[in-house]
Amino acid sequence: NAGVTQTPKFRILKIGQSMTLQCTQDMNHNYMYWYRQDPGMGLKLIYYSVGAGITDKGEVPNGYNVSRSTTEDFPLRLELAAPSQTSVYFCASSNRDRAFYEQYFGPGTRLTVT
Amino acid sequence: AQKVTQAQTEISVVEKEDVTLDCVYETRDTTYYLFWYKQPPSGELVFLIRRNSFDEQNEISGRYSWNFQKSTSSFNFTITASQVVDSAVYFCALSEVNYGGSQGNLIFGKGTKLSVKP
């Protein structure tokens, strides 16, 4: 049982480049989330999805895009990377029936934009 | 405004000491959930506990215990007889049922880094 997987683990981008952070969960959870964690800070919600085909903005969506074509996958797209997007990115999922219960987190992707 | 405050940025203790991590929250909702997560040096986030706003009973799980007090808007976490493996960053989080919480949105504190020395 893999849970929530994220790829890549590490990435260095040049300013202006684009990339997609991959997230997959195998728990059949309908809720999925993307967070970013800046040094010394808690996690902040970027985007979330309540099911395939449905996404919505969180607290810090600017500079990112998401899609949810399947229950399992929730990729995060960075367009025109900027140094302010240097962060650790976490994907998480939860079950609708337990929407207030624990979110299961992936291992994170450490992104540096230089 | 909704907010989670973890005033202790870093705490250092010697093994076997007891340690309490403080969490104070502000919420506009009457129905909410509180959480604690652990982030060890390896980086992943591990769920520890969930509490809803109607349940003020304290909870104990092994060396861990949690004290929820609505009167002071606090949800403190105590580790008894700390061990080196407890070294991690601990996050307190809030989910407001009527303000994004129905989608499971979490509001995190900035975390407390606990170092347990042998």
Side-chain angles (χ1 to χ4, degrees):
Chain A
N1 187 353
V4 180
T5 57
Q6 292 182 237
T7 56
K9 284 189 168 55
F10 305 93
R11 184 71 186 268
I12 298 174
L13 277 183
K14 290 190 185 332
I15 295 171
Q17 287 185 323
S18 300
M19 77 164 292
T20 298
L21 281 65
Q22 301 292 345
C23 174
T24 300
Q25 54 92 8
D26 63 359
M27 297 173 283
N28 203 32
H29 286 170
N30 49 0
Y31 284 61
M32 294 187 75
Y33 311 86
W34 275 106
Y35 293 91
R36 60 177 286 171
Q37 182 183 23
D38 298 325
M41 303 291 287
L43 279 70
K44 292 191 176 179
L45 184 65
I46 305 172
Y47 270 96
Y48 67 96
S49 170
V50 302
I54 306 170
T55 62
D56 207 347
K57 296 177 181 178
E59 184 183 355
V60 290
N62 291 344
Y64 307 95
N65 275 302
V66 294
S67 59
R68 183 97 181 271
S69 56
T70 66
T71 299
E72 295 78 19
D73 300 308
F74 190 41
L76 177 72
R77 178 84 178 159
L78 279 72
E79 304 282 2
L80 298 175
S84 60
Q85 293 178 304
T86 293
S87 191
V88 180
Y89 291 84
F90 288 96
C91 179
S93 72
S94 66
N95 186 313
R96 173 179 170 77
D97 290 339
R98 297 164 61 85
F100 311 127
Y101 293 9
E102 62 268 30
Q103 292 184 12
Y104 295 83
F105 284 82
T109 293
R110 186 175 294 275
L111 175 68
T112 302
V113 181
T114 62
Chain B
Q2 67 285 18
K3 188 178 174 183
V4 175
T5 301
Q6 294 179 254
Q8 304 149 308
T9 306
E10 292 193 42
I11 300 175
S12 182
V13 300
V14 176
E15 211 169 16
K16 297 186 183 174
E17 284 185 20
D18 298 347
V19 58
T20 296
L21 310 182
D22 298 332
C23 173
V24 174
Y25 62 92
E26 294 175 34
T27 180
R28 57 201 149 165
D29 208 342
T30 56
T31 305
Y32 53 90
Y33 288 76
L34 294 163
F35 303 78
W36 276 95
Y37 282 84
K38 174 182 180 181
Q39 187 176 41
S42 51
E44 75 275 19
L45 278 139
V46 178
F47 166 82
L48 295 177
I49 190 172
R50 171 195 66 253
R51 230 339 153 242
N52 75 55
S53 51
F54 300 110
D55 182 3
E56 287 193 71
Q57 280 194 344
N58 291 333
E59 180 153 342
I60 298 174
S61 176
R63 296 184 297 105
Y64 295 172
S65 62
W66 291 268
N67 180 256
F68 175 31
Q69 291 195 337
K70 284 179 79 170
S71 59
T72 56
S73 297
S74 64
F75 186 43
N76 296 336
F77 173 30
T78 297
I79 302 174
T80 303
S82 59
Q83 300 176 2
V84 172
V85 293
D86 296 326
S87 296
V89 180
Y90 292 86
F91 291 99
C92 182
L94 164 71
S95 182
E96 299 177 305
V97 170
N98 296 305
Y99 295 93
S102 58
Q103 287 83 40
N105 295 352
L106 290 173
I107 302 160
F108 282 84
K110 293 184 179 181
T112 297
K113 182 177 181 180
L114 174 65
S115 298
V116 181
K117 301 187 188 314

